[in-house]
């Protein structure tokens, strides 16, 4: 099956769902279900054994309950039930485009190279960065941070880096509205994100603090392999990281305010805001903006690694749009996609 069918059917499924929210038309549920069925069938050959077995078992079990005409129709229409959930996976990765254009990743590496002098600091910075960036970019943050910290100085501490990144990333499930775990709670229960956020963020910092205190007991100095960034470059890096934090905070605030004002589900608001803000943010992110000389190459490798991971996820049944933007050459995980 042609590779274009997989991303196209997934885009049409998510796009049709979002359009139908504002412009409902006849047979919209059937159309979304059709695109979902095409996406499922086109992705199925590239799934691993366990997902294949689960899908087949669930499909056969559902069909066995009622094989009448009405039962088959109900099974078909049921394919569009979680279209709002899938819309988050489809459109939120668009936010990675302005992040790449603005060279934010390169400046994050400048911060790393200046402030990290001990292994406990490497653990803390990796955990915090994976938790914050991962809250927006999802699983793509792991290969990015791995490449950013894959320098000769940090290379002997690979296990520590991976441990810190994974711990920081999974904690985003406790508070990030861009994660489906939080999104499902907001969609199906009478609770708002502002009610969940304080509890989730407090638990996140408590767990991070416990991990940091444990790693601090065995902390050791990290030998430097290159000179420190100059003050001007460091100042610029701080500005860019603060800018990134502010924009992500602004996007989150827009999502919460839009949910209150429009009455739409947060699962609908998030992909809509992601589409609009990725476009607006990209207009203000200069494509040819300068980046730190010492980090330009590694930031490019990091984004390519993230794109590679997105294509790996695509081969396993998920779609991440930025994987269509750049041709990946290297990554933390490798896979072969037709």
């Amino acid at each position: 099956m042609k590779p274009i069918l997989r991303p196209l059917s997934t885009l049409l499924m998510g796009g049709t769902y979002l359009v139908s929210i504002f412009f409902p038309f006849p047979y919209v549920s059937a159309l979304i279900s059709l695109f979902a069925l095409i996406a499922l069938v086109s992705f199925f050959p590239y799934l691993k054994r366990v997902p294949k077995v689960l899908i087949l078992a669930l499909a056969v079990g559902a069909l066995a309950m009622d094989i009448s005409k009405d039962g088959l129709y109900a099974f078909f229409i049921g394919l569009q039930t979680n279209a709002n959930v899938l819309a988050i996976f489809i459109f939120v990765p668009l936010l990675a485009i302005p992040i790449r254009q603005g060279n934010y990743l390169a400046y994050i590496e400048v911060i790393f190279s200046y402030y990290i002098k001990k292994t406990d600091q490497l653990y803390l910075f990796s955990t915090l960065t994976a938790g914050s960036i991962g809250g927006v970019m999802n699983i793509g943050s792991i290969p990015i941070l791995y490449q950013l910290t894959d320098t000769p100085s940090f290379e002997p501490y690979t296990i520590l880096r991976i441990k810190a990144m994974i711990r920081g990333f999974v904690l985003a499930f406790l508070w990030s509205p861009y994660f489906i775990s939080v999104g499902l709670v907001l969609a199906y229960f009478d609770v708002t994100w502002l009610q969940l956020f304080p509890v989730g963020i407090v638990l996140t910092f408590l767990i991070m603090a416990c991990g940091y205190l444990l790693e601090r007991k065995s902390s050791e100095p990290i030998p430097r392999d290159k000179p420190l960034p100059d003050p001007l470059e460091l100042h610029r890096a701080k500005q860019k990281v603060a800018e990134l934090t502010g924009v992500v905070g602004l996007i989150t605030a827009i999502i919460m305010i839009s949910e209150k004002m429009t009455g739409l589900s947060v699962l609908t608001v998030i992909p809509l805001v992601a589409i609009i803000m990725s476009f607006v943010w990209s207009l203000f992110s200069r494509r040819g903006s300068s980046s730190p000389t010492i980090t330009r190459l590694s930031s490019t490798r990091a984004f390519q690694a993230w794109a590679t991971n997105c294509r790996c996820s695509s081969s396993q049944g998920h779609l991440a749009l930025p994987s269509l933007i750049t041709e990946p050459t290297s990554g933390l995980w490798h896979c072969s996609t037709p």
Side-chain angles (χ1 to χ4, degrees):
M1 196 164 295
K2 293 183 179 180
I4 188 63
L5 188 59
R6 287 176 292 165
L8 181 61
S9 59
T10 311
L11 282 173
L12 289 174
M13 177 182 58
T16 303
Y17 162 74
L18 294 178
V19 171
S20 67
I21 297 297
F22 303 98
F23 306 100
F25 54 91
Y27 307 109
V28 61
S29 296
L31 188 59
I32 296 175
S33 296
L34 176 61
F35 292 138
L37 180 61
I38 295 174
L40 178 62
V41 173
S42 60
F43 276 112
F44 188 80
Y46 308 107
L47 298 176
K48 293 183 178 180
R49 180 178 299 178
V50 173
K52 283 184 178 180
V53 172
L54 288 176
I55 291 174
L56 286 175
L58 292 173
V60 171
L63 292 173
M65 293 180 182
D66 188 354
I67 57 175
S68 65
K69 181 179 179 181
D70 292 339
L72 293 175
Y73 180 75
F75 176 83
F76 174 72
I77 292 299
L79 293 173
Q80 57 87 39
T81 303
N82 288 323
N84 52 356
V85 173
L86 294 174
I88 294 179
F89 287 109
I90 297 170
F91 295 109
V92 166
L94 284 172
L95 294 173
I97 299 174
I99 290 177
R100 173 71 177 103
Q101 290 184 354
N103 290 314
Y104 295 102
L105 302 178
Y107 287 103
I108 289 177
E109 188 181 3
V110 172
I111 301 294
F112 268 60
S113 64
Y114 183 83
Y115 286 103
I116 297 178
K117 301 180 178 67
K118 295 182 178 180
T119 55
D120 62 316
Q121 294 172 340
L122 175 61
Y123 176 89
L124 180 62
F125 272 73
S126 299
T127 306
L128 289 173
T129 308
S132 55
I133 300 297
V136 178
M137 297 183 67
N138 212 296
I139 191 64
S141 61
I142 301 296
I144 283 179
L145 294 177
Y146 182 86
Q147 292 292 340
L148 289 179
T149 58
D150 193 25
T151 63
S153 294
F154 300 151
E155 190 174 3
Y157 310 102
T158 300
I159 300 299
L160 176 67
R161 289 185 290 134
I162 294 177
K163 180 169 58 176
M165 293 172 199
I166 293 177
R167 288 178 180 177
F169 170 74
V170 298
L171 291 177
F173 282 89
L174 294 174
W175 63 270
S176 175
Y178 306 103
F179 272 70
I180 199 59
S181 56
V182 176
L184 285 174
V185 172
L186 299 179
Y188 293 106
F189 296 93
D190 187 19
V191 65
T192 66
W193 181 74
L194 291 179
Q195 292 174 312
L196 288 179
F197 177 73
V199 178
I201 202 67
V202 168
L203 288 174
T204 297
F205 281 119
L206 285 176
I207 296 173
M208 284 186 177
C210 291
Y212 172 70
L213 292 175
L214 291 174
E215 294 297 333
R216 192 174 182 179
K217 294 181 178 180
S218 58
S219 178
E220 59 183 69
I222 300 177
R224 291 194 174 274
D225 64 319
K226 56 187 176 182
L228 293 174
D230 61 75
L232 183 62
E233 188 175 44
L234 179 63
H235 178 69
R236 177 60 176 165
K238 291 180 179 179
Q239 287 182 330
K240 294 293 288 187
V241 172
E243 179 183 308
L244 175 61
T245 304
V247 172
V248 172
L250 175 63
I251 293 173
T252 303
I254 292 175
I255 290 173
M256 298 302 113
I257 294 173
S258 300
E259 181 193 11
K260 287 288 186 181
M261 295 181 62
T262 62
L264 295 173
S265 168
V266 68
L267 297 183
T268 302
V269 174
I270 288 176
L272 288 172
V273 173
I275 294 171
I276 296 172
M277 289 302 296
S278 63
F279 176 75
V280 174
W281 192 3
S282 296
L283 293 180
F284 290 93
S285 297
R286 295 177 299 174
R287 183 178 297 275
S289 60
S290 60
S291 61
T293 304
I294 63 171
T295 61
R296 186 179 297 130
L297 177 60
S298 56
S299 65
T300 300
R301 289 191 297 111
F303 189 80
Q304 289 173 340
W306 174 82
T308 300
N309 182 62
C310 288
R311 289 194 63 173
C312 292
S313 298
S314 176
S315 69
Q316 297 174 4
H318 304 285
L319 172 69
L321 291 180
S323 63
L324 306 176
I325 298 169
T326 180
E327 181 63 28
T329 58
S330 63
L332 180 56
W333 299 294
H334 299 275
C335 67
S336 176
T337 305

